[in-house]
Each structure stands twice: as structure tokens, then as C-alpha cells.
């Protein structure tokens, strides 16, 4: 996701998006193999991999909002899309997951302090 945000020029942005989508496809395959039909990577309960990947979900939603692109969806990554819903709905997660709108505002604030790209 960082590569998409820092890419300069349309060609670089497209390459970064393609790389990100490729990574999500690998995650989709890994989820299918590891979960064995259960709701989380490790089975019936949230485990380390769920937490590690879940930490990026809020930022992924901000990226989707700001780019106008949908990365986790039923057509492209159906299992990960379902996993994301289950993960965010879990009692251990739902009260601590940042709201997309608030995080997007925070991202705008952070962008103000980002140095300008070299010319």
C-alpha cells in the first residue's frame, strides 16, 4: 500500500497497484490453504496471522476510499473479503478497529508533513 501512495507518475502507480493486487492474490491462496474452510487463517479463532494481516485492514479501506479502487471484493478475493468481514465483526476486534473516515482524515494530516518528492 505504501508503494501505491508513494508512486510518482501513472506508470509507476499502475505497477504498484498491480504488485499489491498480486500480493492480495497470494494472500487469498494462502488463506484458502491455511483456513481449511474455517473463518480465520488458523481455524475457528483469530490467530497471529489474522492479527498481522488484520492490522492493515483499516489502512486498506482508506486506500480503497482515496483511490476509488476496491481491492477486497467478492469477485477478486472472495475468501479474503469474507475473512475481513468476520475479522472485523469479532468481539475482540470490532471495538478497536478504527473508523475509515477518521483514519482517512488522519492520513490527510500525515500527508501534510510528508516531504515533497525530488524533482
Amino acid at each position: 500500500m505504501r508503494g501505491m501512495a508513494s508512486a510518482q507518475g501513472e506508470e509507476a502507480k499502475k505497477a504498484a497497484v498491480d504488485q499489491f493486487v498480486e500480493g492480495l492474490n497470494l494472500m487469498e491462496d494462502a488463506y484458502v490453504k491455511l483456513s481449511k474452510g474455517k473463518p480465520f487463517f488458523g481455524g475457528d479463532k483469530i490467530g497471529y496471522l489474522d492479527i498481522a494481516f488484520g492490522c492493515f485492514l483499516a489502512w486498506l479501506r482508506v486506500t480503497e476510499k482515496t483511490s476509488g479502487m476496491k481491492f477486497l471484493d467478492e469477485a477478486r478475493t472472495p475468501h479474503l473479503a469474507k475473512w475481513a468481514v468476520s475479522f472485523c465483526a469479532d468481539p475482540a476486534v470490532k471495538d478497536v478497529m478504527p473508523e475509515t473516515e477518521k483514519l482517512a482524515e488522519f492520513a490527510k494530516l500525515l500527508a501534510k508533513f510528508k516531504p515533497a518528492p525530488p524533482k
Side-chain angles (χ1 to χ4, degrees):
M1 288 186 295
R2 186 179 298 162
M4 291 187 294
S6 63
Q8 300 296 313
E10 290 303 313
E11 192 171 310
K13 286 181 183 180
K14 183 186 180 320
V17 167
D18 290 346
Q19 184 179 22
F20 183 69
V21 168
E22 183 179 328
L24 285 177
N25 289 335
L26 291 172
M27 288 295 293
E28 172 83 1
D29 292 343
Y31 175 78
V32 170
K33 289 175 187 171
L34 293 172
S35 69
K36 298 179 176 113
K38 306 258 178 155
F40 300 107
F41 279 92
D44 290 318
K45 294 182 181 179
I46 289 177
Y48 292 117
L49 189 53
D50 299 290
I51 293 167
F53 187 49
C55 289
F56 292 96
L57 278 178
W59 285 109
L60 176 60
R61 289 178 178 161
V62 170
T63 302
E64 288 178 334
K65 177 181 172 43
T66 58
S67 71
M69 301 174 74
K70 189 77 172 155
F71 295 105
L72 285 185
D73 63 20
E74 288 293 323
R76 182 179 293 159
T77 53
H79 298 95
L80 277 184
K82 186 176 178 183
W83 167 84
V85 171
S86 297
F87 181 81
C88 291
D90 189 274
V93 175
K94 68 180 178 180
D95 292 334
V96 295
M97 184 63 74
E99 295 176 29
T100 303
E101 292 298 324
K102 288 182 180 180
L103 195 56
E105 288 300 316
F106 180 66
K108 287 179 190 175
L109 181 66
L110 287 176
K112 290 180 182 180
F113 296 102
K114 182 179 174 186
K119 293 182 180 185

